[in-house]
Amino acid sequence: MARRRSDTSLPAPFLQRLRVRPEKLAEHAGYPFDLPWLGPESFELQFTQPVTIIFGENGTGKSTLIEAIASLSGYDEAGGGKGYRPVDHSGALDKSGAGLAEVLRASWLPKITDGWFFKAESFFSVARYQDEMAIRYGGMAPDYLSWSHGEGFLRFFEERMSRQGIYFMDEPESALSPTRQLELLRILHGIQQAATSQVILATHSPILMALPGAQLLEITRHGLAESHYRQSAHFKLYQSFTTDPEEFIKEALAHPDDLPF
């Protein structure tokens, strides 16, 4: 039996709020339950736009948060669509942020079941799994692997994200040149304007952060707060480089700890 689609005429965001379940958080210790911004009284996340962009330095927990929200919505920690299990986690040594879903409660209007969890690091495992499943059941393989790394990413985004759903993306810019990032920006801009899908993504890219109208959140050890891309250390660093590249590199090499970012 084919899985029933959950199309709706209501505008995104469909996932509207995340809250901590204090009684569940109290039952756990260690990563990912000890992240400094995660507290029974302090953590609540409201989604206000079709596209929400989360940025922050490495180690702040932005990928962990994306994994947790995706897991709470029914997606495997390795990425893919509903029901995909493209990677065997039984021998994994690292703990996934997906476990954080156990202590979170989500509020939806309405609950959307279609979508995708995109992780750059596992994209090719997922793409290979798709090809194998399509061939096994007599269908046509998507064949994203025949394209270059960046082209495969963009072809995937264009095809998958043209459908109504909720999409989670963890650092999608990792294999994209600045020009390709602009192409992804156009896709996201279409979603933001149409409000027929929801995207929650983590990124280091100032180009993606500059998406007009998107909800931009900076994650630090103190929590998540609304921000503007011009306020981000990422943007300021690139701005300093383009203003005077030679002087920027000279200072970065001579005094790496003194950069004001």
Side-chain angles (χ1 to χ4, degrees):
M1 178 183 297
R3 182 164 57 89
R4 183 174 61 86
R5 289 185 58 83
S6 55
D7 294 340
T8 178
S9 60
L10 292 173
F14 311 121
L15 175 57
Q16 298 196 329
R17 184 168 63 171
L18 284 178
R19 289 177 294 171
V20 168
R21 302 168 66 187
E23 73 283 0
K24 289 294 183 181
L25 183 61
E27 297 174 359
H28 298 277
Y31 177 83
F33 309 100
D34 60 354
L35 287 165
W37 45 262
L38 182 70
E41 306 299 332
S42 61
F43 182 81
E44 181 172 318
L45 179 53
Q46 300 270 2
F47 296 99
T48 61
Q49 294 292 331
V51 179
T52 298
I53 299 172
I54 300 171
F55 74 94
E57 286 301 321
N58 290 334
T60 53
K62 60 185 181 303
S63 292
T64 298
L65 181 58
I66 294 291
E67 289 176 349
I69 303 173
S71 177
L72 187 64
S73 304
Y75 296 87
D76 185 69
E77 63 192 74
K82 286 285 183 70
Y84 278 44
R85 294 294 182 268
V87 177
D88 180 6
H89 309 297
S90 60
L93 297 178
D94 294 336
K95 292 184 179 180
S96 168
L100 196 61
E102 298 176 26
V103 303
L104 297 176
R105 176 182 287 113
S107 298
W108 298 79
L109 185 67
K111 179 68 179 288
I112 292 292
T113 59
D114 290 318
W116 197 270
F117 178 22
F118 175 85
K119 294 184 71 172
E121 62 197 61
S122 59
F123 173 76
F124 286 95
S125 295
V126 173
R128 190 173 296 108
Y129 177 87
Q130 281 189 284
D131 288 345
E132 291 172 353
M133 292 300 100
I135 293 171
R136 178 180 300 179
Y137 294 105
M140 180 175 293
D143 194 24
Y144 297 116
L145 301 181
S146 294
W147 300 70
S148 72
H149 205 166
E151 288 173 331
F153 275 32
L154 278 172
R155 181 168 171 247
F156 172 84
F157 297 148
E158 289 171 345
E159 292 182 6
R160 284 284 168 179
M161 297 173 71
S162 64
R163 313 169 191 176
Q164 185 177 71
I166 183 166
Y167 299 92
F168 305 94
M169 308 175 79
D170 188 14
E171 300 183 10
E173 75 278 5
S174 62
L176 301 178
S177 69
T179 300
R180 297 298 192 190
Q181 289 181 44
L182 284 173
E183 293 183 44
L184 175 56
L185 188 73
R186 293 187 189 103
I187 294 172
L188 294 173
H189 183 54
I191 292 173
Q192 174 67 22
Q193 288 190 310
T196 53
S197 290
Q198 182 173 6
V199 176
I200 302 171
L201 70 90
T203 186
H204 290 293
S205 169
I207 291 176
L208 299 183
M209 291 179 202
L211 177 67
Q215 179 183 18
L216 186 62
L217 300 172
E218 181 177 14
I219 185 169
T220 68
R221 65 183 308 275
H222 303 294
L224 285 92
E226 298 276 352
S227 185
H228 188 277
Y229 74 94
R230 287 183 176 272
Q231 298 172 348
S232 71
H234 305 69
F235 176 83
K236 292 177 181 177
L237 186 147
Y238 282 103
Q239 185 179 48
S240 296
F241 172 76
T242 56
T243 298
D244 190 343
E246 290 77 14
E247 183 64 21
F248 176 89
I249 296 300
K250 178 181 176 181
E251 288 297 314
L253 295 177
H255 307 288
D257 296 328
D258 295 336
L259 294 175
F261 312 116

